């Protein structure tokens, strides 16, 4: 009888400990390397995320993948195996995030990517059912660019993008939409994130004489082709993707990026949005928190992607806690299910409505067109 009582007490103690289990969040991002200008604001944003969710303590384990795909995968496996995380947030870039999919799906651990490529979440299959993301899809932003080009009388365009998943994803969407809008693409080039010269590619672009050129890069490496185009006297319109939307790009690009056109998340120009814009308040809330910690003008859209990942987790965790305790396969599965059913979560970039077939959940409210004027981001109305 006494032995039974001891067993009962031990079991009760185990249940009590289980009930008190922390939610462990693993984060891998690119705080160093070519994508550091994206990863640093993401890392800074993680530090602003809530320390409790649904009454449970949250621990964030943050690793740097140095913008390297192999390291990102190793980080994901370490977070899952050694740190027993309930969810992975990351990584910063599309190649890294795509490479991590096998690791999280094999472990049955949900993942929220902060990278842009639609291929990270599409199509939702047996592996990608575990994967969600916060940045706008390439097709949404490519449509905004091509529409702006055509509406402004541009007939021919050139393209230069990263020689990786980000650049190729953009090429696919830009090329497809250009064909439907009867925009003629007359040149297409690639370069590496770590390249220090793109002279050969730029000479070919200039020789093709396009009315406009789209540069599909991200962070400070996206300034390289634009500076080279200016050096060669290119006078047409230059478009960039939402991958450049931070102040480091303005600093590196200087006068050579003046006049650049790009689609971006509303957070980039939150103060300029009309009062009734559905994202204005939520975007400004994030800006206030980030700038409160890092100073006026320090916020970037990339930190906003991390913030939105945190908001999705905050919406999903209380629902998952109703079904299971953190640290268990059942909780990870419940968290995945809850993320898939998130509705009307207003973030820094848009309003998220996930579904079984849509693991991004953003609509056209998540984009605006912006121009760089006098070294500032200016909303095109």
């Amino acid at each position: 009888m006494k032995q039974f009582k001891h067993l009962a007490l031990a079991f009760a103690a185990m249940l009590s400990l289980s009930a008190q289990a922390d939610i462990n969040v693993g984060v891998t991002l690119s705080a160093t390397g070519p994508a550091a200008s994206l990863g640093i604001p993401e890392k800074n944003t993680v530090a602003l995320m809530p320390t409790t969710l649904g009454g449970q303590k949250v621990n964030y384990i943050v690793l740097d993948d140095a913008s390297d795909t192999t390291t990102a995968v190793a980080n994901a496996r370490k977070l899952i195996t050694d740190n027993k995380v309930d969810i992975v947030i990351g990584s910063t870039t599309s190649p890294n995030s795509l490479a991590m999919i096998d690791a999280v799906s094999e472990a049955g651990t949900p993942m929220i990517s902060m990278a842009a490529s639609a291929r990270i979440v599409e199509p939702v299959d047996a592996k990608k059912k575990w994967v969600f993301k916060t940045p706008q899809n390439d097709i949404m932003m490519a449509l905004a660019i091509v529409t702006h080009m055509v509406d402004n009388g541009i007939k021919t365009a050139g393209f230069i993008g990263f020689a990786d998943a980000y650049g190729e994803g953009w090429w696919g969407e830009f090329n497809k939409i250009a064909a439907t809008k009867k925009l003629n693409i007359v040149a297409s080039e690639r370069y590496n994130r770590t390249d220090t010269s793109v002279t050969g590619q730029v000479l070919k672009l200039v020789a093709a004489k396009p009315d406009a050129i789209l540069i599909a890069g991200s962070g400070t490496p996206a300034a390289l082709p634009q500076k080279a185009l200016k050096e060669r006297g290119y006078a047409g319109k230059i478009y960039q993707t939402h991958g450049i939307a931070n102040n480091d790009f303005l600093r590196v690009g200087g006068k050579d990026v003046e006049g650049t056109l790009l689609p971006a998340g509303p957070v980039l120009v939150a103060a300029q949005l009309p009062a009734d814009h559905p994202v204005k308040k939520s975007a400004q809330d994030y800006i206030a928190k980030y700038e409160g910690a890092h100073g006026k003008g320090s916020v970037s859209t990339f930190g906003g992607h991390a913030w939105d990942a945190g908001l999705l987790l905050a919406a999903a965790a209380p629902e998952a806690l109703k079904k299971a305790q953190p640290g268990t396969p059942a909780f990870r599965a419940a968290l995945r299910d809850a993320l898939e059913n998130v509705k009307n979560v207003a973030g820094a970039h848009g309003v998220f409505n996930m579904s079984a077939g849509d693991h991004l959940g953003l609509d056209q409210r998540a984009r605006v067109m912006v121009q760089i004027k006098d070294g500032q981001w200016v909303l095109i109305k």
Side-chain angles (χ1 to χ4, degrees), residues 23-381:
I23 298 172
N24 289 317
V25 180
V27 183
T28 179
L29 43 74
S30 305
T32 57
S37 67
L38 288 64
I40 290 171
E42 292 171 352
K43 183 177 181 180
N44 291 342
T45 299
V46 173
L48 303 175
M49 290 181 182
T51 55
T52 60
L53 292 173
Q56 302 290 101
K57 181 183 175 185
V58 183
N59 302 313
Y60 299 93
I61 303 100
V62 182
L63 302 178
D64 176 20
D65 58 38
S67 309
D68 178 73
T69 299
T70 302
T71 306
V73 175
N75 284 355
R77 295 194 183 279
K78 174 180 172 59
L79 290 166
I80 292 166
T81 304
D82 296 352
N83 300 106
K84 312 296 183 185
V85 298
D86 297 297
I87 187 168
V88 173
I89 295 178
S91 178
T92 301
T93 68
S94 294
N96 287 7
S97 295
L98 286 163
M100 290 162 55
I101 291 173
D102 281 347
V104 297
S105 62
E106 288 167 7
T109 301
M111 163 180 151
I112 305 176
S113 172
M114 300 177 289
S117 176
R119 287 187 286 169
I120 296 166
V121 293
E122 294 179 358
V124 180
D125 54 22
K127 290 183 178 181
K128 293 177 183 176
K129 77 173 189 176
W130 292 97
V131 183
F132 303 81
K133 77 182 189 79
T134 54
Q136 301 87 340
N137 276 343
D138 305 336
I139 190 167
M140 182 188 300
M141 299 311 217
L143 180 59
I145 288 174
V146 175
T147 299
H148 190 273
M149 285 181 174
V150 172
D151 288 349
N152 285 273
I154 291 169
K155 305 293 185 185
T156 59
F159 177 93
I160 179 168
F162 284 158
D164 62 22
Y166 187 82
E168 291 309 317
W170 261 94
W171 166 247
E173 301 300 350
F174 181 62
N175 188 41
K176 180 169 58 181
I177 295 168
T180 66
K181 297 282 189 179
K182 295 183 170 44
L183 175 69
N184 185 22
I185 300 177
V186 294
S188 176
E189 298 293 329
R190 303 292 184 276
Y191 73 109
N192 296 312
R193 293 174 188 253
T194 55
D195 284 350
T196 56
S197 173
V198 288
T199 300
Q201 298 96 314
V202 164
L203 287 173
K204 292 177 184 177
L205 286 168
V206 173
K209 298 180 180 179
D211 298 330
I213 292 172
L214 170 61
I215 301 171
S218 63
T220 53
L224 179 65
Q226 191 155 350
K227 293 178 79 68
L229 284 165
K230 291 295 183 180
E231 287 171 5
R232 295 292 167 176
Y234 180 72
K237 297 287 186 183
I238 296 180
Y239 289 76
Q240 291 265 6
T241 74
H242 54 312
I244 66 157
N246 68 15
N247 289 336
D248 277 346
F249 176 82
L250 297 178
R251 174 182 56 79
V252 171
K255 61 180 177 56
D256 291 328
V257 301
E258 188 70 14
T260 302
L261 297 151
L262 67 145
V267 69
L268 187 65
V269 288
Q272 301 171 47
L273 297 173
D276 61 350
H277 193 286
V279 181
K280 187 179 179 81
K281 182 182 182 303
S282 51
Q284 289 185 312
D285 285 348
Y286 167 63
I287 292 169
K289 288 182 175 68
Y290 192 94
E291 293 188 345
H294 298 283
K296 188 171 177 58
S298 58
V299 77
S300 84
T301 62
F302 303 104
H305 296 315
W307 184 252
D308 288 349
L311 291 177
L312 292 175
L313 176 59
E319 294 303 312
L321 286 167
K322 294 175 184 177
K323 298 179 179 178
Q325 289 300 317
T328 65
F331 181 74
R332 296 194 294 272
L335 196 54
R336 190 219 74 87
D337 292 347
L339 284 168
E340 194 171 79
N341 287 288
V342 161
K343 302 297 178 192
N344 296 317
V345 171
H349 281 278
V351 180
F352 291 88
N353 286 284
M354 300 286 188
S355 70
D358 184 356
H359 280 196
L360 169 62
L362 292 176
D363 56 28
Q364 299 307 317
R365 294 173 292 180
R367 71 174 194 192
V368 293
M369 283 299 295
V370 174
Q371 187 168 26
I372 299 173
K373 292 184 179 180
D374 300 322
Q376 302 292 324
W377 310 106
V378 178
L379 177 67
I380 297 174
K381 299 178 180 178

